[in-house]
Amino acid sequence: MEKIIATYSNGMEEIRIEQWANGKFYNLYGVENGHYSSKAGGFLSLAEAEEMLLKHRPTAKRI
């Protein structure tokens, strides 16, 4: 089961970091109505997922 860890926005899209049942973290980009347009992961830590999110979307802010 997926668990939402953090939500970000860059003003144009919603981005989520989720932890999935396998224990890894995934960045979901373009989240809308429960769907996403792309993802990155599985990262072994939340810090690693956040680092990649900010690399991909440097203007994103946690909301």
Side-chain angles (χ1 to χ4, degrees):
M1 183 165 176
E2 296 82 25
K3 178 180 176 185
I4 298 170
I5 303 297
T7 304
Y8 288 75
S9 177
N10 64 4
M12 299 179 67
E13 68 178 333
E14 182 178 300
I15 307 151
R16 288 189 193 157
I17 298 177
E18 292 186 356
Q19 187 173 26
W20 289 10
N22 63 7
K24 294 182 180 179
F25 296 86
Y26 293 84
N27 297 340
L28 308 179
Y29 300 94
V31 177
E32 190 174 320
N33 297 322
H35 301 282
Y36 56 90
S37 60
S38 62
K39 74 174 180 177
F43 303 105
L44 297 178
S45 70
L46 175 58
E48 188 180 4
E50 286 179 317
E51 181 181 340
M52 189 59 65
L53 185 152
L54 294 173
K55 182 177 179 181
H56 289 157
R57 303 291 194 276
T59 61
K61 303 287 185 219
R62 193 169 182 166
I63 55 173

